[in-house]
Amino acid sequence: MNTLELRERGRAERGTRPDEVVLALSPGFATFFTKTIVDVPHTEVVRQILAGIEEEGVHARVIQVRARADLAAMAHLAARLSGSGIGIGVLARGTSMIHQKDLPRLSSLELFPQSPLMTPEVFRAIGRNAAQYAKGESPQPVPTLNDQMARPRWQAKAALLHLKECELLVKGAPPVEVEPVLEA
């Protein structure tokens, strides 16, 4: 069974490594929820993103955001805490974003809004692209599928998952650095 434990290491601080990407996980990620909306295990999501970052020779740091379930806010916070200024945000249902600290909160580098279409391969490519941005490169955007029926088919479930994740918010809680312990 795939399990992911997030071992808390203390308050998340601004990094100093210019070769760093920060991955921000939502409050319900690997805590209340263990899989994305289409049953990709959270273990696999983190494994693939970190592998993509590592393939590019870039250091990764993982934080969990407990006071927000807003993807843009989480990804922007990750970018502001990253030594390179590049961060990734991932909601428990799988919706993801690559952000840069100097951009406005709602103007990300890459947005992956259709969580039902997120696969392990896409998560790995997100990690690679974020690492390339951290190195000052301009990668091609991650190719993603587009399904016009995904929204009507998954909207109710996505809304329920978001509501549950919002119930897990801890007002005023600082982001914490976590060590992901991945077990297959």
Side-chain angles (χ1 to χ4, degrees), residues 139-163:
Q140 290 296 312
V142 173
T144 56
L145 299 172
N146 188 15
D147 179 356
Q148 298 302 320
M149 293 307 295
R151 182 177 176 147
R153 225 181 7 248
W154 293 94
Q155 188 171 17
K157 185 173 182 180
L160 290 171
L161 293 175
H162 183 70
L163 288 173

Side-chain angles (χ1 to χ4, degrees), residues 16-23 46-62 82-88 98 124 126-137 139:
T16 57
R17 292 182 67 143
D19 66 336
E20 170 182 75
V21 171
V22 171
L23 170 60
V46 171
R47 178 181 285 122
Q48 293 301 327
I49 290 173
L50 296 180
I53 293 169
E54 183 180 310
E55 285 172 1
E56 292 294 326
V58 172
H59 176 74
R61 199 158 50 100
V62 182
S82 172
S84 71
I86 301 297
I88 302 170
I98 303 173
R124 191 177 199 110
I126 289 169
R128 277 195 306 268
N129 270 22
Q132 289 174 26
Y133 288 120
K135 295 189 298 185
E137 299 173 6

Side-chain angles (χ1 to χ4, degrees), residues 114-134:
Q114 290 193 325
S115 57
L117 304 178
M118 300 296 285
T119 64
E121 295 77 22
V122 172
F123 288 116
R124 191 177 199 110
I126 289 169
R128 277 195 306 268
N129 270 22
Q132 289 174 26
Y133 288 120

Side-chain angles (χ1 to χ4, degrees), residues 3 8 10 27 35-36 50 59-60 67 79 81 87 89-90 97 103 105 107 110 115 129-130 134 139 147 152 159-160:
T3 61
E8 195 170 320
K35 299 181 283 188
T36 67
L50 296 180
H59 176 74
L81 291 176
V90 182
M97 177 184 285
L103 293 175
R105 188 170 57 89
S107 297
E110 294 186 53
S115 57
N129 270 22
D147 179 356
L160 290 171

Side-chain angles (χ1 to χ4, degrees), residues 157-173:
K157 185 173 182 180
L160 290 171
L161 293 175
H162 183 70
L163 288 173
K164 182 59 185 172
E165 190 144 53
C166 287
E167 289 176 7
L168 302 170
L169 295 175
V170 179
K171 186 176 181 178

